[in-house]
């Protein structure tokens, strides 16, 4: 039984066939799905989905690429209200993204400051509500870890779509945080993540699809679906020299203890 810990079920790419997508996931043995939001409207959309699907939980938050949709602090009160929904299992997807160019109205320094401020507010909210966080990093590793590490002990974070080395991740793992692997580890050249997934101890990592993005082999280049977490699990098992059942069990247990509301 597999747990997809990061699947964007609220993406417009699933609007036409979401029931079939969920059916295929369940047929593949995916028994639990975590759906992170990108903004307030997306969070509301996801909660409406989760209310009808017993195996779906939601993370609510503002993605760093979407923080231009909020200003001031009134939005954090709306997020707080959403986060109290019984289907909410975490705060996310939050973090920093220095890859994409600043949107209109921001220069680079101002955009980085706005992202950091929104991240701090959401981390404080997570600590206040006793929720863990789903973290996005793109070309922002040093700044992101510098902001998150002081929250160790107040909350835990999963650094999703991890592509770095175990050495980079070790201080975070030692502080109780997690890393998560996508279909990238199935690629012919997975980069440092290929070695990291071999070495990281059970209990410190989870599996995800990041659907509709980053489809694993043999679906690379196509729309990703939560069903494909099973393919990533098989690749991880081969890399680690373990049975896929062991990888599925280890990662599901880790995810159930990290996200609120799963049993």
């Amino acid at each position: 039984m597999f747990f997809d810990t990061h699947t964007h079920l609220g993406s417009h790419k699933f609007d036409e066939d979401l029931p079939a997508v969920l059916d295929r996931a369940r047929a593949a043995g995916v028994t639990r799905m975590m759906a992170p939001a990108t903004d307030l409207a997306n969070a509301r959309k996801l909660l409406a989905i989760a209310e009808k699907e017993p195996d779906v939980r939601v993370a609510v938050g503002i993605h760093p690429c979407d923080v231009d949709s909020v200003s001031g602090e009134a939005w954090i009160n709306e997020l707080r209200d959403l986060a109290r929904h019984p289907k909410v299992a975490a705060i996310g997807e939050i973090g920093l993204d220095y890859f994409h160019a600043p949107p209109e109205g921001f220069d680079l320094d101002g955009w980085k400051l706005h992202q950091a401020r929104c991240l701090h507010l959401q981390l404080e909210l997570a600590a206040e509500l006793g929720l863990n966080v789903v973290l996005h990093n793109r070309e922002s590793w040093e700044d992101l870890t510098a902001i998150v590490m002081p929250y160790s002990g107040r909350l835990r974070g999963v650094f999703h779509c991890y592509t770095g080395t175990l050495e980079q991740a070790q201080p975070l793992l030692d502080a109780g945080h997690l890393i998560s692997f996508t279909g990238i580890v199935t690629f012919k050249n997975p980069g440092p993540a290929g070695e990291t997934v071999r070495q990281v101890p059970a209990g410190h990592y989870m599996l995800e699809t990041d659907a509709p993005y980053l489809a694993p082999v043999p679906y690379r280049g196509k729309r990703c679906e939560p069903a494909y977490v099973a393919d990533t699990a098989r690749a991880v098992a081969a890399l680690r020299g373990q049975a896929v059942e062991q990888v599925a069990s280890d990662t599901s247990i880790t995810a159930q203890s990290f996200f609120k509301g799963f049993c």
Side-chain angles (χ1 to χ4, degrees):
M1 300 301 177
F2 304 103
F3 193 140
D4 185 358
T5 63
H6 196 110
T7 180
H8 290 281
L9 300 179
S11 168
H12 67 89
K13 295 184 179 182
F14 292 131
D15 284 350
E16 298 299 318
D17 64 343
L18 182 60
V21 168
L22 294 176
D23 286 345
R24 286 192 289 272
R26 292 157 183 154
V30 182
T31 59
R32 298 170 182 84
M33 289 168 270
M34 262 298 305
T38 54
D39 58 26
L40 294 171
N42 190 243
R44 290 189 288 269
K45 179 180 181 179
L46 284 170
L47 287 171
I49 293 169
E51 285 172 352
K52 300 175 183 177
E53 308 295 344
D55 48 0
V56 175
R57 296 290 186 278
V58 174
V60 296
I62 313 293
H63 190 285
C65 292
D66 293 284
V67 294
D68 58 322
S69 66
V70 297
S71 60
E73 294 191 11
W75 63 272
I76 201 71
N77 294 322
E78 183 174 355
L79 186 61
R80 180 180 288 104
D81 290 341
L82 291 171
R84 290 188 171 122
H85 190 287
K87 280 284 191 167
V88 168
I91 297 294
E93 177 177 353
I94 64 176
L96 299 175
D97 190 305
Y98 296 168
F99 174 78
H100 294 95
E104 186 176 352
F106 290 91
D107 61 20
L108 182 58
D109 288 342
W111 181 230
K112 288 183 176 181
L113 285 171
H114 186 57
Q115 285 191 44
R117 181 175 178 275
C118 291
L119 175 57
H120 275 293
L121 287 171
Q122 292 180 99
L123 289 168
E124 287 293 337
L125 177 62
E128 171 193 330
L129 298 179
L131 294 171
N132 290 328
V133 296
V134 179
L135 296 162
H136 173 101
N137 158 63
R138 197 151 185 199
E139 298 186 4
S140 59
W141 181 254
E142 291 184 2
D143 286 355
L144 179 61
T145 55
I147 291 172
V148 171
M149 279 294 276
Y151 286 88
S152 303
R154 299 176 64 196
L155 57 76
R156 300 169 71 202
V158 55
F159 291 77
H160 108 93
C161 191
Y162 189 71
T163 56
T165 66
L166 184 60
E167 183 181 16
Q168 285 176 296
Q170 196 63 57
L172 298 159
L173 303 181
D174 291 344
H177 305 293
L178 303 176
I179 55 177
S180 183
F181 299 102
T182 65
I184 288 173
V185 299
T186 72
F187 296 174
K188 185 176 181 180
N189 179 17
E195 190 59 31
T196 303
V197 81
R198 288 187 184 94
Q199 298 175 343
V200 63
H204 293 278
Y205 79 99
M206 299 188 291
L207 302 180
E208 58 167 296
T209 57
D210 200 18
Y213 314 107
L214 298 176
V217 174
Y219 308 101
R220 188 175 182 183
K222 301 179 181 179
R223 182 188 71 170
C224 191
E225 298 187 6
Y228 301 165
V229 75
D231 297 272
T232 298
R234 284 188 279 271
V236 169
L239 287 166
R240 293 173 67 85
Q242 294 179 307
V244 67
E245 292 83 3
Q246 187 65 54
V247 168
S249 176
D250 288 345
T251 53
S252 292
I253 289 169
T254 300
Q256 284 172 235
S257 69
F258 182 85
F259 294 110
K260 179 182 176 183
F262 283 104
C263 58

